[in-house]
Every structure is written in C-alpha cells, then in structure tokens.
Amino acid sequence: MQGTREGAGVQVRAGVRRAGGGSPWMSACVRDGADPAVDMMNIKAFTLVSAVERELLMGDKERIKVECVECSGRNLYVGTNDCFIHHFLLEEKTLPSGTAAFTATKQLHRHLGFKKPVNELRAASALNRLLVLCDNSITLVNMLSLEPVPSGARIKGATALALNENPVSGDPFCVEVCIISVKRRTIQLFLVYEDRVQIVKEVSTPEQPLAVAVDGHFLCLALTTQYIILNYSTGLSQDLFPYCSEEKRPIVKRIGRQEFLLAGPGGLGMFATVAGISQRAPVHWAENVIGAAVCFPYVIALDDEFITVHSMLDQQQKQTLPFKEGHILQDFEGRVIVATSKGVYILVPLPLEKQIQDLLASRRVEEALVLAKGARRNIPKEKFQVMYRRILQQAGFIQFAQLQFLEAKELFRSGQLDVRELISLYPFLLPTSSSFTRSHPPLHEYADLNQLTQGDQEKMAKCKRFLMSYLNEVRSTEVANGYKEDIDTALLKLYAEADHDSLLDLLVTENFCLLTDSAAWLEKHKKYFALGLLYHYNHQDATAVQLWVNIVNGDIQDSTRSDLYEYIVDFLTYCPDRELVWTYADWVLQRSEEVGVQVFTKRPWDEQQKNSFNPDDIIDCLKKYPKALVKYLEHLVIDRRLQKEEYHTHLAVLYLEEVLQQKAATDSQGLEPTETQTKLRHLLQKSDLYRVHFVIERIQGAGLPVERAILHGKLGEHGKALHILVHELGDFSAAEDYCLWSSEGQDAPCRRHLFHTLLAMYLRAGPSAQELTVAAVDLLNRHATEFDATQVLQLLPGSWSVQLLCPFLTGAMRDSVHARRTAQVALGLARSENLIYTYNKMKLKGSAIWLSDQKLCQLCQNPFGEPVFVRYPNGGLVHTHCATNRHTTPSSPSPGTRT
C-alpha cells in the first residue's frame, strides 16, 4: 500500500466514535502500508489506499485544490480549483501481503480557459466524451486529448448535472443529461451527442432544486425543504420527507434501478423507490454527512472526520475509517473514490469471502450468514452455492463448539454437511476402513472433541448426545448416501458407550454397521447380547446363538435381557437353519422341557415341512424328555389335528402312565380327577384314531372305571359302559353325559337307543332300588324328547303316578304336537308347490307347438321320429329319452328347467 502524507488529511491513529448513538466501533487506520485494525465488534470491509499523490497532482503549488473527480475504467480525471483537468491512468497491483496498491501515471492536463474551478466531471465513455461543468457551463471534451469538441457544443446555465443511467431515448449514440438550471425552480433534460447537444424537456419544480438524480423518467430531487420524486414525462410528483437545506447538505444518490439513497433527518440514510416507498430499513449515520456511495452490500458515508461503512442487509455499522478534510465520496462502477483537497484515495473492498471468514473467525455467525446471503447477486450461481454451503458448515461448527446444538443442526442440514466431518471430531468413531479425510481448507480449528471441550466431561457428554440424535435423524435421509456404513458404525459405538436403549433398536432393523469395527467395540463395552444381534444381522447365526448361550450359562456377563433363555428359544423357533436348531435342541430342553419344546411346537408348520423337521425325528429326540414329549404330542394331536394313529395312541399311553404314577403316589381314590386324567378322558372321548384294544388292555385292573367305560363305548359296548357308570360308580350324571357324547354326530335313533338302554338298566333293578328309581324318573323328566313315549309307557311300572312323570309327559306331548304340526305345514307347502306346477303346466299346454321333421332335438341334434317330446320353459324341444338321460347325467347340457 502506498504511504500517505499527513497533509492529505488521513489520520495515522486509531480512534473510537459512536455513530448515531450506536455501539462504539474501533476505527481502522492506514500507516506506512499497515492494514487498518479491526475490533471484535467490527469487520474490515474496505482498505483505504492512496491513488494520486499530492506532488503528482499539484507539484509545489500550495493553492491548488481538488474540486471533483471522475473515473471510467482505468482513466481517472481530477478537476481542480484553477480550472485544470488532470488525466491519470490507474494501475492496480496486489502486494505480497495481499493488499491492493494503485499507481497513477499522469497522461496530461488541460486548462479550460476559465478562471473558475471545475465543479463536476462526468464521463460518457460510449461517446469518448467528458462532460465538464465549469462556470455554469457544461463543455464536451475528448476523453483522451481533453480538447473541446470542434463544434464548440456546450450546455449553458447549469449549476449541477446528473447522467441518466437508465436512459429512455433508446439511442446508443447519445447520453441523457439532467441539469439544474440557473433559472429559478427549473430542471432541464438534454440529449448529448459526440459534437452537439439537444434540449429535450424543461420541467418546473415547486421549490428551488439543490441536488438531482435521474432514473428513466423519474427525477429524485432535493428541494429547499423536502425531497420529492418527479415523473418528468407525466408531471406527477410524490413527496418523500422534509428536511432543512440550511442545516445540512442534501444528498441524492441513485443506487440501483428505480431506487435512491437520500440523507434524511435525524442522521438517517433513507432508501426510496420511484414509487415513493422504502423497501429497505434506513441506516443510522452521522448528522453531518457530506457524501454517500454504495458498494454492495455496503453504504459508505463521509463526514468531517470519518468514513463509515454500513450494511444494507442488516443496517448495522460495520467499519469506521478516520478521514479528515474529506469532501468528495463517489462510486464509479464499483470503485469507491474519496478525496481531500490535496489528494485522491480509493476504498478497496476486501473480497466478500474474506470478510465472511473474518466474521466467522470472530464467532459472529449471524452477521456472516447475512453477508453471505447478500453476496448472491455478485457471484455466479454455482460458485455461490458452493461458497454458501461451506459458510453454513463453518457456521455450524462454530455453533457446535458453543454447544448451540439446535442452531448447529440446522446449519449442518442447510449446508449439506458431509456428516463424517462431524464424526471425525470424536476419536475412534469412524471405522478403521474409512477413507475419509477432512475438508481442506478445514471447516474448523479443532483436532478432536477433547480439544473442543478442553477435557470437560459434561460438555463431552452433551456433544455425544447431540451426535447420537443427529446421526439418528440423518441416517435415513439423502445426507447419508454413500457413507451409511460410517454413520451407522459411529452411531452403534455411541449407543454402546452410553449404554443407550436404542442400540438394540439399531441392530434389529436395517443397518450398515461394519462387522469388524462394531464387534470389537461391543466386546470392549461388554455388550454381548447386542454383539449376538450384530452377528445375526450379518448371517452368522451360529456365532450369535453360541454367544447368547455363554451368557445364559454364566461364562460371560451381560444383564441386557433377563429373559435371554426364552429369547434363544424364540430365536431357534423361527430359525430356518435346521442344523443350528438340532445343535441347541438338547441345551434348551435340558434347561426347561416345557419351554424348550417350544422350539418345535411354535415353529410355523410350513417351516417345519420346508426344513424337514419330521415329527418322528422330533419324537425320537424328545424321548429323553417326557414332559416335552407330552407337550409335543399334544401339539400334533390337538393343535395340528394330525390324523395319525400312532400319535394318538402314544399320547393316550403317556397320559395313562402319568395318571397311574399319580395314582400310585397318592395311594388314594381321589374324588376329583387330576389335570392329566381330565386330558386322558377328553382324548379317549374325542379321538377315534387310537388303538382302543391296546389301551383297554393297559387299563384293566388299574382302578380307572370312567376311562374303562369310555373305551367300552368306543368299541360299541354301550351296555358294558353304562353298567360301569351305573352299578360300579353309581354316577348317574356321568351315565347321562355318556349317552350324549357317545351319540354326537349320530342320527336320532342311535341317541334314542342309548337313552332307552340306560332307562331299561334303571328299571331292571326293581322298585326296591330306590336310587335307580329316582334316577330313572330324573332321566325321563330331563330328556323327554330323547325317548319314544309309547315304548316308555309300556316299560314303566303301573304304580308310578302321572304327577311323578308330569315333566316327561308334558315334554312328550309337546314334542308330539310339534311334530304333527310341522308335518301339516310341510304337507300344505307341498300341495301349494304342486298347485303352482300344475298351473304352469296347464299354461304351457294351452299354447300350440309345431313339430315337423325339420325340428331337431336340442340335446342330440337329431330329428323327431314321432310326436312325443319334452318341452322346456325356454321353448326347447328334446326327445323323451334324451330328457331322461340328461336328468341322470348332470354334466349333460341343460336347455332349461324341465316341465
């Protein structure tokens, strides 16, 4: 950076000032090429660089002063108070320190021939003309030679001028110029060509104009007491806001299409559109602002002592540069120039990316993001997207380091962070096989989590909980594409280390945990049950089951599941590996026969058949485990209802053996049957597949009369069965039940025969057997409908009274009457149906039927040989023998219902 002289008015000190009552800002300074200092509450957006040295401009002439400047490309023009125009060529260089420096080479200077200062310069590069305002006259000079145009064309009577940067004429060979005329309250518009000028319009204003800017048809005017927007095409005007021109210098600056920047009351920089509204919040600058310029996204203001920089994005003051005796501030195609009366300087903007990085380095995340968003308009779309994503990621790590996890998560998501950048902060979480390397340049300054938290265990735990939550959220999104193994492996390690319940949920659902890394980590943290799940997910079921068996046996310790044995049984139940099931069948049965047998009883039947789990093989295996064998046979006989004699017989024998063992152990005649005895009776009653003779031989002399009666019944020996129940047991209720269940599925005569047999047995005992007599009466009265009343009355003793048999007789009469009435109803329905058929037949006979030798039978397709036929309701005619054959052969074609 070029050095500057003290006489130029650039202070070589740092100062602190308060802008509009806001926060103090540390000023930047320039001294011997040093960069301006930046406070933590400030950013370095611009560097002040000398452009034209005092000696180069005026030599030893002390009275020469800079009045105006203009810059077009590399051409710099300076107007002085002695009516000279100086032309320089600017050359920009970048110093090794990274700062910019300018070298100005003087081309020539030209005196305009007046004795007045040069008030304003405006370049019209398309015409190669420089518009010079001097002594209320605008002269056209050549931009290179500085010679006036030969035609002598000029605009007289002008106090100020502005170029229309949004021209409306459409002529590329002219520029539109707006001037404030020396005539009171008058604005004039001209078209300026290479060698001539042409007045277009003269507009009157309500007050004397002091400053003007133009955009299209719209003039933004600073009048004596207010700012207005005036459409010179329609004459319509819009008042903006008042101000006092006697107290402060007005500023009117076009900053963009149809938008202006104005110096408002109260030290505010106000934005206004041609519609008279403000689409941006104002910036708060000093009361005595001399000039303003815009270098997006900043508004730069010049006052008596400072250059201040405000952001258009958040309206905050960003930088303060001390600058005394300055009186010119203008921007030219993005280049901002300031000048004192003795020198010209350039405000060089630092690259936006550098500014943003400085903000991030100062942990000012919100400001950095606002600035980054505002940079969108100045950077190509693709480049911006890459830059902005990186800024979001950096901001995310800053928030993460401050434990602002919600903010960090949103920034990581928005910035599409490669989540491995975050995982890599946590030691040992990334798999050893991962090829990930951190971004370069780095997104943060931390080596790992220990450095970030400075060893604070509480902070470290919070960071780990955040990573668990974040990885769990992103693992099923597009963020995880391409490195799901790294994410799931890291998540597993975090869960295992924290003893988190979600570890098991991760392993029993779809996951991409790498086996080698994950297994070592789970073993390190003694998560053996989870390790088994990991092996199972990786199709190593044998290893998984052996691990779980070791836990149950106590060889290794893991209290994750208190019901691990039952879990293993359930796992083997649905395991498709036949060899694995047989390998551990004895182990599960030895621990609990009742639970272990579920490996076979709960297995889906189609799986058993598909994997060749033959019931006979299972029965052979279970012979060493009697309780399990009974459970399995119950499963085959009762649940699966397999119709195989040997299973039914085997189960009946096992029941019988257990009943006999229980009977021998108690050595008493139990009144109530045991659970096994109840099962035995139920099986003997319901099953028709066991070998009755084989079982009855085993039961003889065993003291099981009920079971013996059931078996006699199965052999059709109902008399013997009833005799046992009536005479040996004296259990009349059981005898009645026997008649009922023995006749299930049989016809009514069979049931009636059983009840008559039981009644006859009661009655044969004679009147002296009082119990049997009462039983006979009860039997008749309870089951009246099961008897033939006529036969019963012939068997009953004449001494029995009608009152004694009243329920039986009532039931018998009711049944007889019901049967008779039902028969009458059926007869009436049959007669009605017959009458309908007769009527339909008469209707059909009433119509003529033509039969000729050309008529064919619809069934056999042969002609009729005689006038005898069958006619169907649909009109079809068939031979009588064909109709008979169709009736006896249901598969024959049917032309309709036979009449």
Side-chain angles (χ1 to χ4, degrees):
M1 183 183 296
Q2 298 289 339
T4 58
R5 294 173 176 265
E6 292 182 4
V10 180
Q11 299 297 304
V12 290
R13 60 179 177 80
V16 179
R17 76 184 293 270
R18 186 174 300 270
S23 302
W25 301 82
M26 180 65 74
S27 300
C29 66
V30 179
R31 173 188 287 171
D32 298 331
D35 290 334
V38 181
D39 186 76
M40 286 300 290
M41 290 301 292
N42 214 336
I43 65 172
K44 185 176 178 181
F46 294 91
T47 302
L48 189 63
V49 178
S50 176
V52 179
E53 297 288 348
R54 174 184 174 184
E55 292 84 353
L56 185 62
L57 183 64
M58 58 193 68
D60 57 357
K61 299 177 181 179
E62 290 292 335
R63 296 182 180 179
I64 304 301
K65 295 182 180 180
V66 176
E67 293 291 335
C68 58
V69 294
E70 171 68 314
C71 186
S72 177
R74 295 177 56 203
N75 298 291
L76 176 65
Y77 301 93
V78 179
T80 59
N81 62 340
D82 59 353
C83 203
F84 271 90
I85 303 173
H86 300 263
H87 178 202
F88 301 90
L89 278 183
L90 290 176
E91 182 179 353
E92 183 176 1
K93 295 180 181 179
T94 303
L95 299 179
S97 62
T99 57
F102 288 88
T103 302
T105 305
K106 189 166 185 178
Q107 302 300 299
L108 72 160
H109 60 276
R110 182 78 60 187
H111 191 269
L112 294 180
F114 300 103
K115 294 183 180 181
K116 298 289 182 72
V118 178
N119 301 116
E120 291 190 51
L121 295 172
R122 292 290 183 270
S125 56
L127 306 178
N128 193 30
R129 294 292 180 264
L130 188 67
L131 281 69
V132 183
L133 175 60
C134 180
D135 195 17
N136 293 336
S137 179
I138 299 175
T139 305
L140 304 183
V141 302
N142 186 288
M143 288 183 65
L144 299 179
S145 66
L146 301 184
E147 292 285 351
V149 295
S151 66
R154 65 178 58 194
I155 302 173
K156 296 181 179 181
T159 61
L161 79 153
L163 299 186
N164 190 350
E165 297 178 30
N166 182 22
V168 295
S169 68
D171 187 345
F173 301 105
C174 72
V175 293
E176 298 176 15
V177 180
C178 174
I179 71 165
I180 299 176
S181 176
V182 293
K183 294 169 61 177
R184 286 185 57 78
R185 297 186 298 177
T186 302
I187 296 290
Q188 292 178 330
L189 291 107
F190 290 84
L191 292 180
V192 177
Y193 296 86
E194 286 187 359
D195 55 359
R196 63 188 178 90
V197 295
Q198 175 185 337
I199 188 167
V200 176
K201 198 173 186 73
E202 187 172 282
V203 181
S204 296
T205 59
E207 297 177 0
Q208 179 62 33
L210 303 177
V212 63
V214 59
D215 183 288
H217 288 106
F218 294 93
L219 304 176
C220 185
L221 297 169
L223 304 180
T224 308
T225 62
Q226 64 177 337
Y227 289 99
I228 68 169
I229 296 289
L230 175 63
N231 186 327
Y232 70 80
S233 176
T234 63
L236 297 176
S237 65
Q238 171 75 46
D239 293 345
L240 296 179
F241 50 84
Y243 84 103
C244 182
S245 60
E246 295 178 357
E247 295 179 0
K248 63 187 302 181
R249 178 178 176 179
I251 295 175
V252 180
K253 177 72 179 177
R254 179 185 182 273
I255 63 171
R257 187 176 180 84
Q258 297 188 345
E259 188 174 15
F260 303 93
L261 173 64
L262 313 172
L268 294 178
M270 306 288 290
F271 299 94
T273 67
V274 295
I277 61 175
S278 180
Q279 295 177 330
R280 306 176 195 267
V283 295
H284 205 162
W285 56 32
E287 289 280 357
N288 55 339
V289 170
I290 299 169
V294 170
C295 182
F296 191 85
Y298 297 111
V299 174
I300 305 161
L302 173 68
D303 60 34
D304 295 336
E305 295 185 353
F306 297 96
I307 299 169
T308 56
V309 180
H310 291 76
S311 172
M312 297 172 66
L313 304 175
D314 61 8
Q315 293 74 51
Q316 298 299 310
Q317 183 171 323
K318 301 299 183 182
Q319 187 178 10
T320 302
L321 294 165
F323 193 79
K324 285 192 174 183
E325 299 180 12
H327 70 107
I328 297 172
L329 171 61
Q330 286 183 274
D331 58 273
F332 306 95
E333 301 172 351
R335 178 173 291 169
V336 181
I337 295 180
V338 292
T340 65
S341 61
K342 302 299 182 180
V344 180
Y345 304 86
I346 296 178
L347 280 175
V348 181
L350 270 69
L352 284 176
E353 290 187 55
K354 177 67 168 59
Q355 297 180 43
I356 294 167
Q357 292 303 320
D358 289 345
L359 285 170
L360 291 174
S362 303
R363 305 291 190 268
R364 293 156 67 183
V365 173
E366 291 300 326
E367 291 183 63
L369 294 177
V370 170
L371 183 57
K373 290 177 184 176
R376 184 192 306 265
R377 59 184 283 182
N378 295 338
I379 301 176
K381 181 177 180 181
E382 291 185 3
K383 182 180 179 182
F384 171 79
Q385 289 176 343
V386 172
M387 180 196 78
Y388 190 60
R389 279 199 297 269
R390 178 176 173 82
I391 292 168
L392 289 171
Q393 294 168 10
Q394 290 177 278
F397 277 107
I398 292 171
Q399 298 286 35
F400 174 75
Q402 296 173 348
L403 307 186
Q404 302 295 322
F405 296 127
L406 287 177
E407 294 83 353
K409 179 171 69 173
E410 290 306 314
L411 290 167
F412 288 151
R413 281 182 174 175
S414 302
Q416 301 174 18
L417 175 72
D418 181 342
V419 73
R420 295 175 298 178
E421 288 279 0
L422 183 59
I423 297 173
S424 67
L425 275 174
Y426 297 72
F428 310 115
L429 286 194
L430 278 175
T432 54
S433 60
S434 176
S435 59
F436 171 74
T437 55
R438 287 185 180 177
S439 174
H440 185 77
L443 296 173
H444 53 81
E445 60 188 10
Y446 305 105
D448 57 24
L449 196 62
N450 292 318
Q451 179 189 350
L452 187 148
T453 60
Q454 298 182 345
D456 188 319
Q457 294 301 312
E458 184 179 353
K459 290 182 179 179
M460 197 173 295
K462 290 179 179 179
C463 291
K464 289 180 178 179
R465 286 196 295 271
F466 163 71
L467 184 60
M468 275 191 275
S469 170
Y470 184 63
L471 293 182
N472 187 52
E473 289 182 21
V474 304
R475 63 187 295 264
S476 58
T477 65
E478 293 182 359
V479 174
N481 289 346
Y483 33 87
K484 292 184 177 181
E485 295 86 353
D486 294 351
I487 292 176
D488 282 2
T489 303
L491 191 56
L492 176 141
K493 291 179 178 180
L494 287 169
Y495 283 158
E497 186 179 21
D499 194 21
H500 201 282
D501 294 340
S502 297
L503 173 63
L504 304 184
D505 296 332
L506 174 67
L507 290 170
V508 298
T509 55
E510 182 184 14
N511 67 79
F512 297 87
C513 300
L514 293 176
L515 179 60
T516 305
D517 271 75
S518 302
W521 193 271
L522 292 173
E523 193 167 354
K524 172 186 175 182
H525 290 85
K526 302 186 185 304
K527 298 295 180 182
Y528 299 111
F529 175 72
L531 179 57
L533 293 177
L534 177 67
Y535 282 126
H536 166 58
Y537 189 81
N538 286 272
H539 311 294
Q540 298 184 23
D541 288 351
T543 307
V545 175
Q546 184 58 56
L547 198 61
W548 295 333
V549 167
N550 291 342
I551 297 173
V552 175
N553 290 340
D555 300 333
I556 52 179
Q557 301 300 316
D558 185 347
S559 59
T560 302
R561 290 195 69 131
S562 58
D563 61 341
L564 183 54
Y565 166 71
E566 288 79 5
Y567 180 87
I568 296 173
V569 171
D570 190 61
F571 180 86
L572 292 173
T573 299
Y574 295 95
C575 178
D577 188 341
R578 182 175 180 272
E579 295 301 324
L580 184 62
V581 175
W582 283 118
T583 299
Y584 291 96
D586 280 323
W587 181 83
V588 297
L589 288 165
Q590 287 167 5
R591 293 197 69 89
S592 172
E593 293 185 33
E594 292 86 346
V595 177
V597 75
Q598 294 175 7
V599 170
F600 303 112
T601 59
K602 287 189 175 181
R603 178 174 294 277
W605 188 245
D606 56 342
E607 284 291 325
Q608 291 194 38
Q609 295 176 326
K610 184 169 65 176
N611 292 290
S612 303
F613 282 96
N614 191 317
D616 294 335
D617 295 337
I618 297 173
I619 290 172
D620 287 340
C621 171
L622 296 179
K623 286 180 179 178
K624 297 179 290 184
Y625 311 101
K627 294 180 181 178
L629 180 58
V630 170
K631 291 282 187 183
Y632 184 68
L633 288 171
E634 287 176 345
H635 168 70
L636 296 179
V637 171
I638 299 171
D639 299 334
R640 293 296 176 191
R641 299 188 179 184
L642 294 187
Q643 303 299 302
K644 197 169 183 179
E645 173 269 323
E646 60 183 285
Y647 300 153
H648 288 249
T649 303
H650 197 170
L651 181 58
V653 170
L654 290 176
Y655 280 157
L656 179 58
E657 290 175 352
E658 187 174 349
V659 168
L660 294 177
Q661 290 175 4
Q662 293 172 350
K663 192 174 181 62
T666 57
D667 194 25
S668 63
Q669 296 292 331
L671 297 178
E672 292 295 329
T674 63
E675 181 182 0
T676 306
Q677 196 168 6
T678 302
K679 290 180 178 180
L680 173 61
R681 291 176 182 178
H682 184 269
L683 176 65
L684 295 178
Q685 287 179 2
K686 299 299 182 181
S687 174
D688 295 323
L689 295 176
Y690 61 88
R691 289 187 289 164
V692 181
H693 290 288
F694 176 76
V695 177
I696 205 170
E697 287 177 4
R698 301 286 295 271
I699 215 169
Q700 291 293 346
L704 300 174
V706 175
E707 289 76 5
R708 191 154 43 87
I710 295 171
L711 292 171
H712 281 299
K714 287 293 181 178
L715 294 173
E717 299 171 350
H718 301 299
K720 290 183 179 181
L722 290 172
H723 185 273
I724 293 170
L725 297 173
V726 173
H727 295 293
E728 292 187 20
L729 291 176
D731 192 342
F732 308 130
S733 176
E736 291 182 24
D737 291 339
Y738 174 85
C739 293
L740 292 172
W741 68 256
S742 292
S743 60
E744 281 183 5
Q746 305 293 328
D747 54 11
C750 177
R751 173 171 292 198
R752 183 169 295 169
H753 171 70
L754 287 173
F755 276 98
H756 275 276
T757 301
L758 179 58
L759 178 62
M761 191 172 292
Y762 287 158
L763 295 177
R764 276 199 298 271
S768 58
Q770 187 66 31
E771 287 185 356
L772 295 180
T773 301
V774 173
V777 173
D778 290 341
L779 179 66
L780 287 170
N781 289 337
R782 277 199 294 267
H783 302 280
T785 58
E786 306 295 347
F787 291 95
D788 184 336
T790 305
Q791 294 182 19
V792 170
L793 291 175
Q794 293 176 0
L795 294 173
L796 294 180
S799 59
W800 287 15
S801 66
V802 173
Q803 185 178 2
L804 185 65
L805 296 173
C806 184
F808 166 70
L809 295 173
T810 302
M813 286 296 295
R814 184 182 294 112
D815 186 56
S816 176
V817 171
H818 174 71
R820 181 171 65 85
R821 289 176 177 173
T822 302
Q824 288 175 344
V825 171
L827 178 61
L829 291 173
R831 285 174 175 171
S832 297
E833 186 179 13
N834 183 60
L835 183 61
I836 292 170
Y837 281 132
T838 303
Y839 170 73
N840 290 335
K841 186 175 181 181
M842 294 297 293
K843 277 179 62 178
L844 293 172
K845 285 184 176 181
S847 58
I849 299 172
W850 293 93
L851 185 65
S852 68
D853 55 359
Q854 302 298 321
K855 199 77 170 181
L856 300 179
C857 171
Q858 283 196 355
L859 291 178
C860 68
Q861 300 301 314
N862 293 321
F864 291 91
E866 54 183 352
V868 179
F869 56 86
V870 174
R871 181 184 184 275
Y872 287 95
N874 64 359
L877 303 180
V878 298
H879 294 117
T880 54
H881 60 275
C882 289
T884 304
N885 290 338
R886 190 200 63 78
H887 182 69
T888 57
T889 308
S891 60
S892 302
S894 175
T897 304
R898 184 177 177 182
T899 302

